[in-house]
């Protein structure tokens, strides 16, 4: 294993850096995090990061997965599942936002797990994170193929050719320098936002009875007939798993912290409005779709956008042309999510190596900061698994991957909450007032304890679902395809801890030194603002700035 102090500058180096005039002034004893960036290039602009936070994880889980959840649990059960998962993810956003904003350096919450909990926990989390994002790549490639089945012409194209084409297209943007990759994500996320908002407007009009083909408002008509719930608690368990796959995690915000420009301000601007984004894109969407389509709609049992409740509602609402347009946008959305998944998967594996948790060989990068070895390994595994689709139905393979990713997400969220609780304990032990943090969760640690309770309930519910499947008799195949990530997660932690004899990090030993570098930058900016105040914005300017909270 490599030296644990790899990348840590000496005090003399820090002092010389300051005297040379390169970068902000840093006093002796402070650590310039650029020396801990392990070859990453800070090329992601604030706009790219904010757009990533808005649409980076939105893919077929939202467009089609909601149909799976709706048919399994009914509109009320589906709404309950998505609201619970949205609450858990929002707590995750707050936890990661607070820790990352204080120390926005490379390593993400893998590093946070190592520095605030235990190196074995960081290994389990890192491998689980890499696994889940790598599994998302084939899930989204399969989804791209399913979306095209909406039109008749592409249905006769060879499956192997589709897989090869989409695997290559997902990989190519990741070969660019990070600045160019950020530009691609800005365009893709903008299209995602447009497609979601335009669909929501249509569904709202449809629920209100504003379409010419309707006889009156729908409102809660389908909650009464065929009903609000379907399949009881088992249906809600199925919807929970789908919701965990559909709703984007906050993890990538921490993962790309080492590649951000102006990281503290960027993280703060990305996390602050996320409550409203989660509420609008997921909770409101789920309520609207439950009003516009019944859970027993015969086409919900299909595959691809042929089973998308959004497309079905638009088509049944008498707008087939708009349905074709939205399907085209869904295709771009899913392809974008595959690109993002490939990007995050490669960064996860590289960060584990950078932090000396696994062999540093996996962290190799070129001069532009691209982790070429991790890109190759993630691409080969993710793209290779996609070819399983040649021997099974695409719907079945998609369900396998989405189930595995959903359960692995629960494990990661659990450790993030634990890391945040330990982070606060470390601040207290070292006399750092949490009220001085640049961004903080005002309800911590109670919100994290609530998150832990939710995750335990989710995991218990999924264990019940794995033992007693939704359809058919209990089987080993169903258990392993649904729940295998949990025993693997525990096995990773226990084996690493036993082999390397790792210990829980004591609060007094937690390293908050890199934060002093960013504290100094914040102080300098406040002093500059005091000496030369920024002119107050007009009413129109303040309204224009408020748009960033929505879009």
């Amino acid at each position: 294993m490599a030296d644990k102090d790899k990348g840590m500058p000496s005090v003399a180096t820090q002092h010389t850096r300051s005297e040379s005039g390169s970068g902000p002034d840093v006093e002796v004893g402070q650590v310039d995090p650029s020396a801990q960036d392990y070859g990453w290039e800070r090329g992601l602009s604030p706009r790219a990061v904010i757009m990533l936070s808005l649409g980076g994880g939105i893919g077929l889980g939202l467009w089609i997965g909601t149909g799976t959840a709706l048919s399994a649990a009914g509109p009320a059960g589906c709404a309950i599942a998505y609201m619970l998962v949205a609450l858990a993810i929002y707590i995750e956003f707050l936890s990661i936002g607070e820790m990352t904003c204080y120390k926005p350096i490379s390593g993400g919450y893998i590093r946070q797990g190592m520095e605030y909990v235990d190196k074995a926990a960081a290994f389990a989390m890192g491998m689980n994170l890499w696994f889940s994002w790598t599994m998302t790549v084939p899930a989204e490639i399969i989804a791209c193929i399913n979306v095209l089945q909406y039109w008749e012409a592409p249905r006769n194209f060879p499956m192997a050719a589709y897989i090869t084409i989409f695997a290559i297209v997902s990989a190519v943007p990741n070969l660019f320098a990070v600045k160019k990759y950020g530009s691609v994500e800005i365009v893709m996320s903008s299209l995602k936002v447009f497609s979601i908002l335009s669909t929501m407007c249509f569904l709202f009009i449809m629920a209100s009875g504003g379409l010419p083909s309707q006889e009156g408002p729908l409102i809660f008509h389908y909650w009464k007939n065929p009903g609000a719930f379907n399949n009881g608690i088992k249906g809600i368990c199925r919807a929970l798993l789908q919701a965990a796959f559909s709703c984007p995690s906050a993890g990538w915000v921490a993962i790309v912290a080492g590649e951000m420009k102006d990281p503290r301000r960027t993280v703060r601007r990305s996390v602050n409005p996320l409550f409203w984004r989660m509420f609008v894109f997921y909770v409101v969407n789920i309520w609207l779709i439950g009003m516009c389509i019944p859970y027993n709609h015969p086409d919900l049992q299909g595959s691809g956008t042929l089973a998308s409740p959004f497309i079905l509602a638009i088509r049944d609402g008498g707008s087939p042309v708009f349905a074709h347009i939205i399907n085209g946008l869904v295709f771009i959305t899913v392809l974008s999510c595959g690109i993002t998944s490939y990007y995050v998967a490669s960064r996860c594996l590289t960060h584990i190596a950078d932090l000396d948790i696994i062999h540093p060989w996996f962290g190799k990068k070129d001069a532009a900061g691209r982790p070429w070895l991790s890109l190759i390994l993630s691409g080969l595994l993710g793209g290779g698994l996609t070819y399983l689709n040649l021997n099974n139905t695409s719907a079945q393979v998609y369900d396998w991957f989405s189930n595995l990713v959903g359960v692995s997400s629960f494990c990661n969220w659990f450790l993030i909450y634990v890391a945040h609780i330990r982070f606060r304990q470390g601040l207290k032990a070292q006399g750092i007032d949490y009220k001085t943090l640049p961004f903080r969760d005002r309800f911590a640690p109670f919100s994290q304890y609530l998150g832990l309770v939710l995750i335990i309930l989710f995991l218990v519910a999924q264990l019940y679902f794995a033992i007693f499947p939704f359809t058919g008799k209990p089987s080993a195949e169903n258990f392993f395809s649904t729940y295998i990530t949990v025993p693997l997660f525990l096995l990773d932690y226990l084996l690493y801890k036993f082999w390397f004899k790792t210990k829980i990090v004591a609060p007094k030993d937690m390293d908050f030194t890199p934060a002093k570098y960013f504290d100094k930058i914040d102080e300098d900016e406040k002093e500059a603002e005091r000496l030369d105040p920024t002119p107050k914005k007009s009413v129109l300017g303040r309204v224009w700035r408020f748009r960033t909270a929505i879009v």
Side-chain angles (χ1 to χ4, degrees), residues 1-171:
M1 301 294 275
D3 182 9
K4 291 182 181 180
D5 294 328
K6 178 182 72 172
M8 289 292 291
S10 66
V11 172
T13 303
Q14 298 159 24
H15 189 62
T16 302
R17 182 189 297 267
S18 177
E19 288 179 348
S20 67
S22 118
D25 293 335
V26 183
E27 298 175 1
V28 175
Q30 296 174 359
V31 177
D32 181 350
S34 64
Q36 293 181 286
D37 281 344
Y38 302 100
W40 295 109
E41 178 189 358
R42 286 194 178 270
L44 277 179
S45 66
R47 177 177 295 179
V49 176
I50 290 170
M51 290 307 294
L52 268 167
S53 71
L54 186 60
I58 297 174
L60 207 69
L62 173 65
W63 292 107
I64 295 179
T66 48
T68 303
L70 179 64
S71 63
C78 186
I80 290 171
Y82 272 76
M83 285 191 293
L84 288 174
V85 170
L87 175 60
I89 291 179
Y90 183 61
I91 297 172
E92 183 210 11
F93 273 120
L94 294 176
S95 303
I96 285 181
E98 182 176 303
M99 294 186 289
T100 305
C101 203
Y102 187 55
K103 279 175 53 177
I105 54 180
S106 66
Y109 59 80
I110 301 170
R111 184 180 195 136
Q112 292 161 0
M114 183 182 75
E115 294 185 343
Y116 306 140
V117 185
D118 180 12
K119 200 169 185 178
F123 173 75
M125 179 188 287
M127 295 306 296
N128 190 51
L129 184 65
W130 176 66
F131 171 79
S132 64
W133 280 104
T134 303
M135 291 301 101
T136 306
V137 174
E140 297 298 336
I141 292 175
I142 293 168
C144 286
I145 299 170
N146 288 343
V147 170
L148 292 180
Q149 306 307 304
Y150 185 78
W151 297 296
E152 186 146 352
R155 293 178 189 173
N156 298 321
F157 199 72
M159 182 67 68
Y162 268 138
I163 293 173
T164 304
I165 291 170
F166 292 139
I168 293 173
V169 172
S170 298

Side-chain angles (χ1 to χ4, degrees), residues 401-473:
F401 290 140
S402 62
N403 288 344
L404 292 173
V405 173
V407 174
S408 68
S409 298
F410 295 148
C411 297
N412 280 337
W413 300 347
F414 186 90
L415 263 186
I416 289 168
Y417 302 147
V418 172
H420 184 270
I421 292 170
R422 299 271 302 159
F423 168 76
R424 282 292 186 94
Q425 292 173 351
L427 293 178
K428 184 177 180 180
Q430 298 184 31
I432 302 173
D433 186 359
Y434 70 89
K435 294 181 181 179
T436 63
L437 297 176
F439 174 85
R440 63 186 175 94
D441 177 5
R442 298 182 181 276
F443 300 101
F446 303 107
S447 52
Q448 282 68 38
Y449 287 123
L450 172 61
L452 291 175
V453 172
L454 287 174
I455 297 303
I456 291 172
L457 291 176
F458 293 167
L459 289 174
V460 170
Q462 295 317 311
L463 179 60
Y464 168 74
F465 180 67
I467 296 174
F468 302 102
F470 197 68
T471 57
K473 297 179 179 180

Side-chain angles (χ1 to χ4, degrees), residues 205-219 221:
I205 295 171
M206 183 176 179
S208 303
L211 298 179
S213 60
Q214 292 181 272
E215 298 180 357
L218 294 172
I219 310 298
H221 171 74

Side-chain angles (χ1 to χ4, degrees), residues 258-524:
E259 298 179 83
M260 294 179 188
K261 297 177 180 177
D262 193 10
R264 265 197 179 171
R265 186 176 303 165
T266 301
V267 171
R268 193 162 51 236
R269 289 176 62 190
S270 299
V271 174
N272 269 329
L274 280 172
F275 172 80
W276 297 108
R277 295 172 192 169
M278 291 293 299
F279 179 75
V280 171
F281 288 171
Y282 290 92
V283 177
V284 173
N285 248 333
I286 294 303
W287 281 85
L288 285 174
I289 205 65
M291 295 178 189
C292 295
I293 191 167
Y295 71 74
N296 61 352
H297 193 293
D299 290 339
L300 283 178
Q301 305 303 319
S303 64
T305 40
L306 292 171
S308 168
F310 298 93
I311 301 294
L312 293 176
I314 293 171
R315 188 193 66 187
D316 294 350
S319 301
V321 175
F322 186 49
H324 284 290
I325 294 172
I326 291 298
N327 194 68
L329 291 172
V330 170
F331 173 76
I332 296 173
T333 294
V334 175
L335 189 59
S336 168
C337 194
I339 295 170
T340 303
S341 302
Y342 192 14
Y343 171 85
V344 178
S346 65
R347 268 52 182 181
C348 293
L349 186 59
T350 307
H351 286 320
I352 306 172
D354 286 344
L355 296 171
D356 199 29
I357 298 172
I358 60 175
H359 199 286
W361 187 68
F362 292 97
K364 290 182 178 293
K365 307 174 193 67
D366 62 15
R370 287 170 293 215
W372 58 270
L373 183 57
S374 293
L375 283 169
I376 292 172
L377 291 175
S378 301
L380 288 176
L381 181 58
L385 287 172
T386 313
Y387 287 93
L388 288 174
N389 194 56
L390 297 178
N391 294 324
N392 295 277
T393 65
S394 58
Q396 184 182 14
V397 175
Y398 176 80
D399 283 343
W400 288 348
F401 290 140
S402 62
N403 288 344
L404 292 173
V405 173
V407 174
S408 68
S409 298
F410 295 148
C411 297
N412 280 337
W413 300 347
F414 186 90
L415 263 186
I416 289 168
Y417 302 147
V418 172
H420 184 270
I421 292 170
R422 299 271 302 159
F423 168 76
R424 282 292 186 94
Q425 292 173 351
L427 293 178
K428 184 177 180 180
Q430 298 184 31
I432 302 173
D433 186 359
Y434 70 89
K435 294 181 181 179
T436 63
L437 297 176
F439 174 85
R440 63 186 175 94
D441 177 5
R442 298 182 181 276
F443 300 101
F446 303 107
S447 52
Q448 282 68 38
Y449 287 123
L450 172 61
L452 291 175
V453 172
L454 287 174
I455 297 303
I456 291 172
L457 291 176
F458 293 167
L459 289 174
V460 170
Q462 295 317 311
L463 179 60
Y464 168 74
F465 180 67
I467 296 174
F468 302 102
F470 197 68
T471 57
K473 297 179 179 180
S475 66
E477 179 185 356
N478 181 76
F479 178 84
F480 286 112
S481 66
T482 304
Y483 213 68
I484 187 62
T485 48
V486 176
L488 284 178
F489 185 83
L490 295 173
L491 190 64
D492 283 342
Y493 176 78
L494 294 174
L495 287 179
Y496 195 95
K497 190 171 186 64
F498 173 77
W499 186 261
F500 292 102
K501 304 295 190 294
T502 62
K503 296 181 179 180
I504 302 293
V505 182
K508 62 182 179 60
D509 295 331
M510 294 177 186
D511 181 19
F512 298 118
T513 309
K516 296 179 181 178
Y517 175 84
F518 296 100
D519 289 340
K520 185 66 168 62
I521 294 176
D522 289 349
E523 291 170 7
D524 291 345

